[in-house]
Amino acid sequence: MLMKKSNICLIAILVLALGISSFILIRRQGDINQYAQEMLNGTQSQGTIGFLNLGTSDKEVIKNTGQPKTKSEAVIWEADRLEHQTWTYENKGIELGMIRNKEEQQVWSIKITSPCDYKTRKSIGIGSTKSEVLNVYKDKINEEHRFGDQDIVVLGSIYDGIIFHFKNNKVVSIFIGAAAE
């Protein structure tokens, strides 16, 4: 009898844990889908660098930077069920994550490195100092993703934000978009 009760309790705990996990995954999926929908509707407001915004059309990208040196294979992601592709401009220090919206593609994520000279709206770019970033964005820094003297600073979140990477206290890359699913 005691064995049956402990088995029932164990099953109840497992069902509860599964329910909570499912709720968290569904909620995260909803966040990802909302982010993707905002991107497709042009209402996503996170980050601009140079002329690039999340949601910039492929035509605008090609007009301003030409054809990319490489394009990855287009793949449908399970997380949002959208077609994704990476465009790389190696000699310009630009890598764009693109998503398809009907006939056109739009910028989903942006990563710049040297020699790209694009700057954020607050004039931060490759080569800016860590102290400049911390000073200019002090009210936007995500403290959850800040661990002492690390080499990254996250604005917003890793699901929808700007991530600055540093080497020797200088910005070496800037990523805008969803860095995690």
Side-chain angles (χ1 to χ4, degrees):
M1 189 68 164
L2 183 60
M3 186 70 142
K4 273 188 174 181
K5 283 185 180 182
S6 65
N7 285 343
I8 290 172
C9 285
L10 181 60
I11 290 170
I13 290 169
L14 290 173
V15 168
L16 181 62
L18 181 61
I20 291 170
S21 298
S22 296
F23 175 77
I24 291 169
L25 288 172
I26 288 168
R27 187 161 180 197
R28 177 59 59 209
Q29 180 67 44
D31 291 347
I32 291 167
N33 288 342
Q34 179 181 352
Y35 177 76
Q37 203 53 49
E38 288 173 352
M39 284 289 306
L40 293 171
N41 294 335
T43 58
Q44 212 319 314
S45 62
Q46 190 64 264
T48 298
I49 192 149
F51 78 94
L52 290 167
N53 270 305
L54 299 183
T56 300
S57 74
D58 55 355
K59 291 169 187 61
E60 182 83 9
V61 170
I62 291 167
K63 178 180 139 191
N64 284 286
T65 56
Q67 287 290 338
K69 180 169 179 151
T70 60
K71 289 183 181 182
S72 71
E73 179 182 337
V75 176
I76 305 237
W77 285 9
E78 282 292 318
D80 59 19
R81 307 215 190 296
L82 296 171
E83 181 183 287
H84 289 256
Q85 187 176 46
T86 302
W87 290 14
T88 306
Y89 295 85
E90 289 173 18
N91 60 338
K92 296 179 181 180
I94 302 170
E95 181 179 286
L96 303 174
M98 303 295 286
I99 55 172
R100 180 159 303 282
N101 178 14
K102 298 178 185 163
E103 298 302 313
E104 72 175 16
Q105 288 180 287
Q106 294 175 306
V107 174
W108 162 264
S109 66
I110 304 163
K111 180 181 179 186
I112 68 162
T113 57
S114 181
C116 188
D117 62 358
Y118 294 166
K119 302 225 183 281
T120 67
R121 287 186 180 155
K122 297 201 178 204
S123 298
I124 299 295
I126 304 303
S128 294
T129 65
K130 188 173 187 178
S131 62
E132 288 174 312
V133 171
L134 295 175
N135 189 40
V136 169
Y137 290 110
K138 62 182 162 245
D139 59 334
K140 306 273 189 227
I141 295 170
N142 185 327
E143 295 297 332
E144 232 178 85
H145 298 291
R146 195 162 178 209
F147 306 101
D149 195 28
Q150 65 184 11
D151 289 331
I152 67 165
V153 169
V154 177
L155 310 181
S157 79
I158 59 172
Y159 303 105
D160 172 21
I162 302 176
I163 302 172
F164 296 95
H165 287 92
F166 301 91
K167 186 172 185 180
N168 299 322
N169 287 319
K170 300 267 185 174
V171 174
V172 293
S173 74
I174 301 172
F175 177 88
I176 300 174
E181 293 182 16

